[in-house]
Amino acid sequence: MELIRLSPFDLFIAALLVIGLSLISWRLQLGVEKRLLWASLRTVLQLTLLGLVLKTLFAQDNPYLIGLLALFMLTVAGYEVMARQQKRFTGVWGMGIGTLSMFISSFSITLLALHLVIGVEPWYTPQYLIPLLGMMLGNTMSGMAIALDNLTQNAAQQRGVIEARLILGESWETAIGEIRRNALRSGLIPIINAMAAAGVVSLPGMMTGQILGGSPPLEAAKYQIMIMLLITAGTGLGAIVAVWIGSYRLFDERQRLRLDRLKN
Amino acid sequence: MGGLELHQFKSPGLSAIDLTLSPGECVSLTGPSGCGKTRLLRAIADLDPNEGTATLDEIPRSEIPPTDWRSQVGYLPTESHWWASRVGHHFPDGEEKAFTTLGFSMECLEWEVTRLSSGERQRLALVRLLAHSPRILLLDEPTANLDQENISRVESLISQFIEEQGAAVLWVSHDPAQRKRVAQRHMKIENGKLETEAWN
């Protein structure tokens, strides 16, 4: 099957639908028409820009430029994890925990996939590296944000319980153990649900894209399976690292619970 | 000497204090609410950051791991917290006496925590603390909200504990009669300072 190229006119038709929707929003006084148009404009601009950047990158094959883009993606993802926290850690830890744990999980698993599973040469071939990394970061990000948020909120809420256990001479790890396990569980549940529903309830976006782009459905399915499994492993690893560093940071060298290290 | 010694010890909201609690001694502490009694107790138990030196049986706190420090310097907060659903999960094995002294049968270990009354929680929290045999007791109003019978039970349990284990006690109470009954020395916090009260 040939790849059918989309013309600007094709996109214009899709855009007209959104413009129509914002007219309805205006008529019904929903008040979201401005945000709707602005967000659509951002989608158009950001994705076009990404397309251009990738086009240049693919043409050049320069490992430094690819590394720079990967770092940029990581930083934005780290910021997103922080922005979703109701109680963030103060100082560099706020962004540091998310960024570091995502670096450890997403980067290592993407590299593993490129090297061992797909076996591209060289491993930094941007056609594979950038989309894979993007998908890993985008999906593990939410699991990590949920796990960290759950950890800090419960630690603050259950301060009395944690301290009651410290008072009786238990170590900080025992005192926060149950809260830590709950945080990890909550971070893993969305991806478990997504795997359980994949292909039955929803057609995953990447597979849809590949099929529309002309790939045979079975090949698209195989890529999708690999991505799902990698994302799950990445989310698990990332959440473990994030919750581990986060809970470590909640206590000081005398094993005191330091909620003053969180800001509201 | 032994027991707990504090030198130039600074907890939040209080000026630096010196205080010694000798084995077998009970010291009462009072002061208006919000004056820093609880914060002082929390700092001694090393739950909040603090400055100055604290020693237990002449060993500086910095040389004692925090878990050991807290199980030897037992702090009883005004409000008790429970993490498991069954009462028994919160207690190490053995030791029946403390339960019976406070009017509980051993069946209480099977009870659900959520069904305890506030007075039962308060008394069981004391039993839970004593089960770890601390050398020092920091009691924050251990008999608030208890009826007269249970106040006497708690007082006699603690005096037995002092006698048998040679523990030292810092007892926060607002009741002058109780302070007179249980303690040999009396202190109060006023204007951010810890002062000795002369009673006789």
Side-chain angles (χ1 to χ4, degrees):
Chain A
M1 203 170 95
E2 276 274 307
L3 172 62
I4 301 171
R5 286 175 186 273
L6 294 178
S7 66
F9 181 70
D10 299 333
L11 296 181
F12 179 67
I13 294 174
L16 268 186
L17 292 175
V18 177
I19 292 169
L21 180 64
S22 48
L23 277 176
I24 295 174
S25 157
W26 173 69
R27 277 291 293 174
L28 294 179
Q29 299 179 331
L30 299 182
V32 291
E33 57 277 3
K34 262 191 194 155
R35 269 157 61 192
L36 192 65
L37 289 176
W38 177 238
S40 324
L41 194 66
R42 275 189 63 170
T43 298
V44 173
L45 288 179
Q46 285 167 199
L47 291 182
T48 312
L49 200 65
L50 178 68
L52 284 175
V53 168
L54 290 183
K55 189 180 164 193
T56 325
L57 216 59
F58 288 2
Q60 296 218 339
D61 239 3
N62 180 340
Y64 295 105
L65 279 181
I66 298 165
L68 203 66
L69 180 64
L71 274 185
F72 174 74
M73 288 160 68
L74 176 71
T75 318
V76 175
Y79 177 82
E80 269 301 311
V81 170
M82 181 188 73
R84 294 183 195 179
Q85 306 295 310
Q86 283 201 35
K87 292 178 185 295
R88 300 166 195 175
F89 284 91
T90 51
V92 291
W93 297 86
M95 203 170 141
I97 293 178
T99 313
L100 181 67
S101 44
M102 228 155 2
F103 176 74
I104 294 173
S105 67
S106 292
F107 270 55
S108 60
I109 289 189
T110 304
L111 290 188
L112 181 97
L114 289 170
H115 249 309
L116 295 179
V117 187
I118 311 179
V120 241
E121 276 298 329
W123 60 267
Y124 54 82
T125 309
Q127 281 90 330
Y128 288 87
L129 175 77
I130 298 297
L132 258 181
L133 185 64
M135 227 159 344
M136 289 298 293
L137 286 174
N139 287 284
T140 55
M141 190 174 78
S142 48
M144 237 167 290
I146 293 171
L148 259 184
D149 195 44
N150 191 294
L151 174 80
T152 50
Q153 296 229 43
N154 278 324
Q157 256 171 32
Q158 299 186 38
R159 174 185 172 185
V161 166
I162 297 173
E163 290 190 337
R165 304 186 74 154
L166 292 177
I167 285 166
L168 296 174
E170 291 187 358
S171 70
W172 68 274
E173 283 173 300
T174 320
I176 201 160
E178 194 52 42
I179 292 172
R180 199 148 70 160
R181 278 188 290 276
N182 270 329
L184 279 179
R185 238 175 262 139
S186 71
L188 279 174
I189 281 170
I191 184 67
I192 292 175
N193 289 343
M195 279 203 297
V200 189
V201 183
S202 63
L203 250 183
M206 174 194 152
M207 189 171 159
T208 315
Q210 269 196 314
I211 293 174
L212 287 180
S215 295
L218 205 55
E219 288 307 308
K222 281 195 275 184
Y223 263 90
Q224 187 64 55
I225 291 169
M226 186 192 66
I227 289 291
M228 286 291 244
L229 298 178
L230 292 180
I231 288 172
T232 309
T235 307
L237 181 62
I240 289 171
V241 175
V243 167
W244 194 85
I245 303 176
S247 55
Y248 184 80
R249 178 67 190 157
L250 281 174
F251 295 86
D252 65 11
E253 73 290 349
R254 292 296 294 178
Q255 303 195 13
R256 307 173 186 122
L257 179 63
R258 295 294 297 274
L259 292 177
D260 55 316
R261 290 176 176 176
L262 300 175
K263 57 182 163 197
N264 283 317
Chain B
M1 277 304 283
L4 179 78
E5 285 180 74
L6 306 175
H7 294 292
Q8 290 301 300
F9 187 82
K10 257 188 91 48
S11 65
L14 276 190
S15 49
I17 61 163
D18 292 309
L19 178 68
T20 305
L21 296 176
S22 311
E25 181 185 37
C26 181
V27 176
S28 80
L29 174 66
T30 194
S33 62
C35 70
K37 302 183 296 289
T38 298
R39 278 173 291 171
L40 173 64
L41 263 48
R42 285 177 58 88
I44 300 175
D46 210 5
L47 288 171
D48 287 330
N50 53 76
E51 289 163 41
T53 56
T55 59
L56 182 63
D57 294 339
E58 283 161 13
I59 304 170
R61 185 171 68 187
S62 51
E63 288 170 21
I64 303 177
T67 47
D68 290 358
W69 178 269
R70 292 195 195 102
S71 51
Q72 302 205 31
V73 180
Y75 163 50
L76 184 75
T78 40
E79 200 185 328
S80 69
H81 291 272
W82 306 81
W83 50 92
S85 55
R86 224 167 45 85
V87 170
H89 273 126
H90 302 84
F91 290 87
D93 293 331
E95 264 312 297
E96 215 179 298
K97 214 178 79 192
F99 286 99
T100 46
T101 310
L102 287 191
F104 291 104
S105 71
M106 292 313 277
E107 277 165 30
C108 76
L109 292 179
E110 300 300 323
W111 293 352
E112 297 277 324
V113 170
T114 47
R115 300 182 65 176
L116 296 177
S117 73
S118 63
E120 285 168 339
R121 280 166 170 254
Q122 202 173 0
R123 286 178 289 143
L124 283 171
L126 177 64
V127 179
R128 183 175 70 177
L129 184 70
L130 297 186
H132 291 82
S133 302
R135 310 285 320 279
I136 311 293
L137 284 180
L138 310 169
L139 307 174
D140 201 348
E141 303 188 46
T143 60
N145 312 319
L146 293 186
D147 58 35
Q148 199 50 55
E149 186 189 3
N150 279 313
I151 292 178
S152 313
R153 283 171 168 169
V154 166
E155 285 176 4
S156 71
L157 176 67
I158 293 171
S159 67
Q160 274 176 33
F161 188 80
I162 296 173
E163 214 167 283
E164 287 165 14
Q165 313 238 354
V169 180
L170 183 59
W171 186 319
V172 173
S173 170
H174 293 294
D175 174 10
Q178 178 176 57
R179 296 178 64 202
K180 202 165 186 178
R181 280 198 302 274
V182 300
Q184 297 87 51
R185 276 201 294 145
H186 307 281
M187 322 273 294
K188 70 172 174 201
I189 295 178
E190 212 161 40
N191 303 322
K193 282 187 189 144
L194 183 69
E195 291 166 359
T196 306
E197 281 185 315
W199 277 20
N200 321 318

